[in-house]
Amino acid sequence: MAQKFFVHPLAVVEEGAEIGEGTRIWHFAHVRKGARIGKNCNIGKDVYIDVNVKIGNNVKIQNGVSVYHGVKVEDDVFLGPHMTFTNDLYPRAFNEDWEVVPTLVKKGASIGAHATIVCGVTIGEYAMVGAGAVVTKDVPPFGLVYGNPARLKGFVCYCGHKLTEKIGEDKEYIIFKCSHCGREVKIRKEDYERYLREKDL
């Protein structure tokens, strides 16, 4: 039976890894045993996917990214070139009792080039992490964060463009309309209040 995914001859995919149909794995990538990669993903050059990591469908992982044990990536996520995950809050070369601290990247989120994600956080649905950001706390759905440490500087649409036009609100949400694609996006009021606290920091 023909293989329904592509693995470059210079990539290493260990026995026991699961690769979805239509996925492409490029040269010098290394996928460890127990890893599960969904359909139609693009795994770039020099990417490392650790033991038992789960990657969703339609995920694009750019060159030089390491996805360590404890990280889960949902569908439609973009991981920019050389961005960094961690999985240990108290790293020592000599520790034998270290604990994996999980990180979750939710559906549709994008993480920019050279950003660092400190373990234990959740990157919300369709959030946008700017290039070079150091993320030390959760990012809300549609949140735009950047800087070191990353602060909430606004919100973005499903299409990725920044939301600037408020068109209404209800008990739980502030409602925006995207000036680029016209789609409406609901932002939780508690997240908007956090933005007002952090935007000028």
Side-chain angles (χ1 to χ4, degrees):
M1 185 175 175
Q3 186 169 278
K4 294 185 177 181
F5 52 86
F6 170 79
V7 178
H8 192 281
L10 296 178
V12 175
V13 177
E14 295 183 7
E15 187 175 348
E18 297 179 21
I19 313 297
E21 183 176 347
T23 286
R24 295 171 294 169
I25 300 174
W26 294 100
H27 47 306
F28 309 124
H30 185 178
V31 180
R32 298 290 308 279
K33 63 183 180 182
R36 289 190 289 164
I37 300 174
K39 297 177 181 179
N40 301 315
C41 295
N42 193 70
I43 311 299
K45 175 178 175 285
D46 292 318
V47 168
Y48 174 76
I49 298 178
D50 207 354
V51 173
N52 298 328
V53 163
K54 185 176 180 184
I55 307 289
N57 300 318
N58 307 309
V59 172
K60 183 175 284 188
I61 304 180
Q62 301 290 77
N63 296 351
V65 175
S66 293
V67 186
Y68 294 115
H69 182 53
V71 177
K72 181 180 179 183
V73 178
E74 294 186 351
D75 296 347
D76 303 320
V77 164
F78 175 87
L79 302 179
H82 302 280
M83 60 77 47
T84 301
F85 288 109
T86 66
N87 66 358
D88 186 358
L89 288 173
Y90 307 101
R92 292 292 195 199
F94 48 81
N95 275 359
E96 295 182 3
D97 61 346
W98 66 282
E99 178 184 351
V100 172
V101 178
T103 296
L104 175 61
V105 185
K106 301 195 82 170
K107 179 180 173 67
S110 295
I111 301 177
H114 292 278
T116 298
I117 310 300
V118 177
C119 55
V121 303
T122 296
I123 310 296
E125 294 91 343
Y126 301 99
M128 182 79 71
V129 176
V134 179
V135 177
T136 60
K137 56 187 176 182
D138 291 351
V139 180
F142 304 100
L144 169 65
V145 301
Y146 52 85
N148 182 4
R151 306 288 192 191
L152 185 58
K153 299 294 187 177
F155 298 91
V156 296
C157 180
Y158 296 92
C159 72
H161 288 257
K162 191 171 183 180
L163 296 168
T164 57
E165 184 184 351
K166 283 192 284 184
I167 61 170
E169 62 181 279
D170 57 27
K171 285 185 177 181
E172 296 182 47
Y173 297 97
I174 306 285
I175 304 166
F176 285 84
K177 183 177 181 180
C178 179
S179 58
H180 180 77
C181 73
R183 195 163 182 178
E184 289 187 9
V185 180
K186 290 184 174 183
I187 303 300
R188 296 182 307 205
K189 284 189 171 179
E190 62 263 37
D191 297 332
Y192 191 77
E193 289 165 3
R194 175 182 162 188
Y195 156 70
L196 294 176
R197 294 193 302 269
E198 294 187 12
K199 67 185 178 70
D200 296 322
L201 294 177

